[in-house]
Amino acid sequence: MTDGAGFVGRVEEAQRLRNALRQGSVLVVVRGEPGTGVSRLVDEVLGAAECAGWTHLRGACPDVMDPAPLRPVIDALAGLPYRPLGAAARPA
């Protein structure tokens, strides 16, 4: 968990991310140029006590020129157990 020491200049962005996360089960895309502190921003917000009991699924875009718009979502969901659609309705 982080205490925010040394984290300055991103108050507005952090508040926007907190507000989005407080909406419930959401998918939030945070993007920015490499090296601009995007990962640190997410780490700081998710490291707060308010987020301690939440489930966080996180993906990252590779540093390549080819567009892969859903790659972070696929990476974040990769660790979840797979259950095909309609699996709950089928007998075991």
Side-chain angles (χ1 to χ4, degrees):
M1 184 180 292
T2 58
D3 63 3
F7 187 68
V8 284
R10 302 305 279 288
V11 175
E12 182 180 333
E13 292 90 345
Q15 188 60 47
R16 288 178 62 198
L17 180 54
R18 279 187 205 95
N19 290 342
L21 294 172
R22 287 177 181 142
Q23 299 302 311
S25 298
V26 296
L27 169 68
V28 178
V29 176
V30 181
R31 54 181 223 176
E33 295 295 321
T36 60
V38 175
S39 294
R40 174 76 189 272
L41 171 69
V42 173
D43 289 342
E44 290 292 329
V45 171
L46 292 178
E50 174 183 8
C51 302
W54 298 357
T55 299
H56 310 157
L57 301 175
R58 192 168 173 178
C61 290
D63 293 331
V64 296
M65 297 302 291
D66 296 329
L70 295 178
R71 188 63 194 191
V73 175
I74 293 167
D75 289 346
L77 296 175
L80 295 177
Y82 173 72
R83 191 170 85 188
L85 288 174
R90 286 188 225 142

